[in-house]
Amino acid sequence: MQDSLSRRAMLAGSSAAAGTLLLPGNALANGHGASDPVAPFRTPYKLGRLILGGSKVAGSFDEKAVDCPFVFRHEGRFYLTYVGFDGTGYQTGIAVSDDLVNWQRQGVILARDPSDPVTRFNVASASILRETEMHAPGELIRVNGEYVCAWHAYPSPGYEEGPAVIGLAFSRDLRTWRRGPPILRAQDGAAWERGGLYKPYLVKHGNQFLLYYNAKTAEKDWHEQTGVAVSTDLKTWRRHPGNPILRNGAPPAPDSRFASDPVVMTHQGRWAMFYFGLSGTDYKARDLLALGRDPFTFHKVDEVMIDVGKPGSVDDGYAHKPSVIFWKGDLYHFYTAVSGPYPNDVRGISVCRSRPWS
């Protein structure tokens, strides 16, 4: 069934009556030893401001808010794809930077199509196939001479309204994309994903392509978990029989409601899944981490990688939707920061890193 509330409105209404969550760990704590397996993934130092927010330009695709960062390196510069919200729905834009802090908007790269029943209101590129090793430069990978992005689209106007589908698009220049048909639909999946699909993250592993994605159950007060589908040709996809591979924790875990928005990397023989959790106790969203020895089995780390900020900060509501890149010895962790009460909340993109800011 289709939910009657958007994800954003449902969570805002729930958080008003929520209590305080006591977390088992804190990524901002110091004093971890060199043998600590989580150490390479920590980015405790927040910039403390948005690096990209709603443009506030009337009629622009990102007038109201920006969301869902995806960062990579290309031709000697850094690029960030993001989705912009204009009051009707999502479209995808791109920004460029030389230092990962100061960004210049470059406009829309994936626009909605009013003539297409799938993307007439929304189309959000969530990832482009890139190097998977966390300490690699973050360059994109071509398949048959083309870049490949994974997108999702919601069927109704508004902020993430209705059961979304997932598809792929292809480009030779990162500006003009040839969008293919949906490859995953909610109605073809199991009960855990029957309510709709969310952010896809595409990985190449050997001769296989792995498409990680989160999805929701069909009830009004839904849960979100993460699964994966596998392909050898980017056309025929098979859902992993062990889905969901990342499940909700038991209350009061910080992912007891949502275990969402996977970003999957490798590092020194291990697999790492950055994701965000939503607590069913305080209804705050935080970035979390799970580690594994293969791309299908992950064990959650018992600490928060990015926590929400103090009242009045840019991320006092949510600090979620990760994207990471390594540069000059530092790991940078981009995320969607949300502050203030709904419906007047401010949604934009911020960053933290593994070394203090000067």
Side-chain angles (χ1 to χ4, degrees), residues 97-343:
S97 174
D98 293 312
D99 62 6
L100 292 169
V101 174
N102 298 290
W103 293 87
Q104 298 176 330
R105 300 171 204 257
Q106 302 287 293
V108 176
I109 60 168
L110 202 60
R112 57 176 172 250
D113 181 355
S115 67
D116 179 12
V118 176
T119 62
R120 59 180 174 172
F121 297 115
N122 298 273
V123 61
S125 171
S127 66
I128 306 174
L129 190 63
R130 54 158 274 185
E131 294 174 311
T132 305
E133 170 56 41
M134 191 172 71
H135 282 186
E139 300 279 352
L140 299 180
I141 297 172
R142 293 178 187 258
V143 179
N144 298 324
E146 294 184 304
Y147 304 111
V148 187
C149 91
W151 56 265
H152 60 304
Y154 305 91
S156 303
Y159 211 97
E160 299 178 337
E161 294 276 7
V165 299
I166 290 173
L168 301 179
F170 304 86
S171 176
R172 293 186 180 275
D173 61 5
L174 298 180
R175 303 292 175 158
T176 304
W177 292 86
R178 184 182 80 260
R179 194 174 61 247
I183 58 174
L184 293 181
R185 296 180 182 272
Q187 61 264 35
D188 300 327
W192 73 274
E193 56 187 309
R194 203 65 54 77
L197 311 180
Y198 283 109
K199 179 180 172 182
Y201 192 84
L202 187 61
V203 168
K204 191 174 190 299
H205 176 52
N207 64 350
Q208 292 184 323
F209 298 96
L210 309 177
L211 187 69
Y212 297 88
Y213 65 99
N214 61 297
K216 66 180 178 181
T217 54
E219 64 266 24
K220 180 179 177 181
D221 294 324
W222 67 86
H223 284 247
E224 293 180 21
Q225 299 176 98
T226 291
V228 62
V230 182
S231 176
T232 57
D233 60 6
L234 294 174
K235 297 176 182 178
T236 302
W237 292 87
R238 177 182 58 85
R239 286 169 163 88
H240 181 60
N243 282 348
I245 61 171
L246 196 72
R247 299 170 182 254
N248 296 128
D255 59 0
S256 59
R257 280 297 304 278
F258 292 3
S260 301
D261 284 38
V263 169
V264 178
M265 315 293 291
T266 57
H267 182 62
Q268 296 181 348
R270 288 179 295 173
W271 288 79
M273 181 187 292
F274 294 89
Y275 71 102
F276 88 79
L278 185 94
S279 161
T281 300
D282 69 354
Y283 284 85
K284 301 289 188 180
R286 303 165 168 92
D287 274 356
L288 307 172
L289 178 70
L291 300 176
R293 291 294 180 184
D294 66 66
F296 303 107
T297 308
F298 292 89
H299 302 282
K300 298 174 185 177
V301 168
D302 189 23
E303 67 178 74
V304 172
M305 304 312 292
I306 303 181
D307 207 343
V308 294
K310 296 178 180 179
S313 62
V314 296
D315 54 7
D316 61 10
Y318 305 152
H320 68 330
K321 303 185 179 181
S323 181
V324 300
I325 195 166
F326 191 79
W327 185 49
K328 291 186 176 179
D330 299 313
L331 186 64
Y332 289 73
H333 184 143
F334 292 82
Y335 64 100
T336 297
V338 182
S339 62
Y342 177 82

Side-chain angles (χ1 to χ4, degrees), residues 33-113:
S35 63
D36 181 1
V38 185
F41 307 97
R42 290 192 181 98
T43 53
Y45 302 102
K46 292 183 178 181
L47 183 63
R49 62 174 175 85
L50 298 182
I51 55 98
L52 206 66
S55 69
K56 301 181 182 180
V57 176
S60 66
F61 82 100
D62 56 358
E63 174 186 355
K64 306 293 185 183
V66 301
D67 206 346
C68 302
F70 173 77
V71 64
F72 61 94
R73 190 163 176 84
H74 178 67
E75 295 181 346
R77 306 189 77 186
F78 297 105
Y79 287 85
L80 182 78
T81 65
Y82 63 97
V83 296
F85 183 65
D86 60 1
T88 298
Y90 274 162
Q91 298 180 86
T92 307
I94 195 167
V96 65
S97 174
D98 293 312
D99 62 6
L100 292 169
V101 174
N102 298 290
W103 293 87
Q104 298 176 330
R105 300 171 204 257
Q106 302 287 293
V108 176
I109 60 168
L110 202 60
R112 57 176 172 250
D113 181 355

